């Protein structure tokens, strides 16, 4: 062998047990972890395709949709954005992207790469958009699609969506919603709200590992995909063939790629736990945890990035880093002493905020009390360090 076996691989793998209270991934529930050690099945074995059917029903439930083109793509939540934009955009299309954090910025980059003419509707960090702002921008730009993030994890802002589908459809525009960080933390009704394409993260409220992403397209979006004038640019995201692998069109299954059976088990188990608890109860549990967390944050004298209380996302809370302390000392303290993940900002909020996630299995009162105690200790520790430098 010209390249010798790496010595590191002769040593055991180190995987500590941490409490993940950032914006995701969250800790997998024990039954999800157990499911991940089941034997691998072939990607067309009947037992495997039965699990895919179960997952499809679970995704239809969590998105509240009857869309037949509903499946999970084999990649992380961010790939949901890529897959939706890749399928719905043709070169030269006008698209409208609501930008109030990193995910709108990313959608802008992707849509541009697919040849779209991108118009941006912008809001300040920590604020959301009104229906009037959306309608004015749609009327002005006449886009083929509007891209909106329901829960911007980089700022902790929640975007209400009721009424938006009606506005979009009035102007013949498809409504695309990113629910990666929000689904299960706030209500979401794809069909009732007229959402044409939606995706979410497996590794947040659903409690599965990252790497497999629920996604769904309305009949109108499906029609757009099937009547494109140009081929879908990326074969891997092509819903016209991936949909056949997931038996979405009433035709025999056709091989598209070798899906990770292991990730299917994890996602099925995560969806099964949500189905057993009931989506309303899951959402309620997240809201109650958020209220407990926010009460504690106010008691610590800390400030939220999102001023408007009703616009705060239950799953991700953004807290301004107090003046004169180093945020990394706080997050480092939490990790070093407690194996607890508290995150910093992301993209435009980097260095400005802490982000605390309340997601899925981690949404418990005990975890909220734990994170508040460690946050307080960490901030006091960072204050001592910055005072000692004066
Ligand atoms: C990932 O979703 C993040 O917000 O950091």
């Amino acid at each position: 062998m010209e390249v010798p076996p790496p010595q590191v691989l002769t040593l055991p793998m180190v995987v500590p047990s941490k409490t993940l209270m950032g914006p995701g991934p969250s800790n997998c529930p024990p039954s999800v972890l157990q499911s991940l050690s089941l034997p691998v099945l072939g990607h067309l074995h009947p037992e495997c395709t039965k699990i895919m059917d179960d997952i499809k029903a679970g995704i239809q439930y969590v998105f509240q949709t009857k869309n037949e083109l509903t499946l999970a793509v084999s990649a992380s939540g961010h790939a949901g954005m890529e897959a939706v934009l890749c399928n719905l955009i043709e070169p030269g299309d006008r698209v409208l992207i609501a930008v109030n954090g990193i995910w709108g910025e990313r959608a802008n980059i992707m849509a541009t790469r697919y040849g779209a003419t991108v118009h941006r509707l912008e809001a300040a960090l920590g604020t959301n958009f009104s229906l009037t702002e959306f309608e004015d921008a749609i009327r002005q730009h006449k886009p083929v699609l509007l891209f909106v993030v329901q829960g911007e994890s980089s700022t902790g802002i929640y975007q209400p969506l009721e009424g938006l589908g009606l506005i979009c459809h009035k102007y013949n525009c498809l409504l695309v919603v990113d629910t990666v960080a929000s689904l299960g933390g706030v209500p979401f009704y794809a069909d009732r709200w007229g959402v044409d394409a939606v995706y979410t993260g497996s590794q947040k409220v659903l409690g599965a590992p990252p790497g497999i992403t629920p996604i769904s397209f309305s009949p109108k979006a499906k029609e757009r995909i099937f009547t494109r004038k140009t081929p879908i640019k990326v074969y891997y995201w092509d819903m016209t063939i991936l949909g056949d692998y997931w038996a979405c069109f009433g035709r025999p299954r056709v091989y598209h790629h070798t899906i990770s059976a292991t990730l299917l088990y994890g996602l099925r188990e995560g969806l099964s736990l949500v189905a057993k608890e009931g989506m309303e109860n899951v959402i309620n549990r997240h809201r109650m945890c958020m209220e407990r967390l926010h009460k504690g944050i106010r008691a610590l004298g800390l400030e939220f990035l999102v001023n408007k209380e009703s616009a705060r996302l239950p799953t991700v809370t953004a807290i301004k880093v107090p003046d004169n302390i180093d945020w990394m000392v706080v997050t480092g303290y939490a990790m070093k002493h407690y194996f607890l993940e508290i995150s910093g900002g992301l993209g435009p909020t980097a260095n400005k905020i802490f982000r605390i996630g309340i997601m899925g299995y981690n949404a418990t009162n005990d975890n909220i009390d734990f994170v508040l105690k460690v946050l307080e200790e960490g901030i006091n520790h960072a204050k001592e360090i910055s005072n000692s430098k004066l």
Side-chain angles (χ1 to χ4, degrees), residues 86-87 89-91 93 114 224-225 227-233:
C86 178
N87 277 270
I89 292 176
E90 293 202 70
D93 281 346
Y114 290 117
R224 182 171 168 81
I225 294 170
T227 55
R228 290 173 60 105
K229 291 176 204 70
T230 56
I232 293 162
K233 283 205 190 289

Side-chain angles (χ1 to χ4, degrees), residues 16 31 62 73-74 93 123 163 183 187 192-193 261 263 284 294-295 320 326 334 340 379-380:
S31 64
V62 294
V73 293
S74 297
D93 281 346
L183 194 82
R192 193 189 298 171
W193 291 349
L263 289 178
N284 210 21
H294 290 191
K295 189 166 163 222
K320 290 185 186 167
D326 180 348
L340 169 67
I379 288 177
N380 288 340

Side-chain angles (χ1 to χ4, degrees), residues 77-104:
H78 203 22
M81 184 186 286
E82 187 89 57
V84 164
L85 298 178
C86 178
N87 277 270
L88 294 180
I89 292 176
E90 293 202 70
D93 281 346
R94 279 192 300 272
V95 307
L96 179 63
I97 302 203
V99 183
N100 56 352
I102 192 169
W103 305 115

Side-chain angles (χ1 to χ4, degrees), residues 23-24 103 153-154 180 204 346 355:
W103 305 115
S153 67
S154 67
V180 170
K204 313 254 181 184
L346 181 69
R355 294 183 301 156

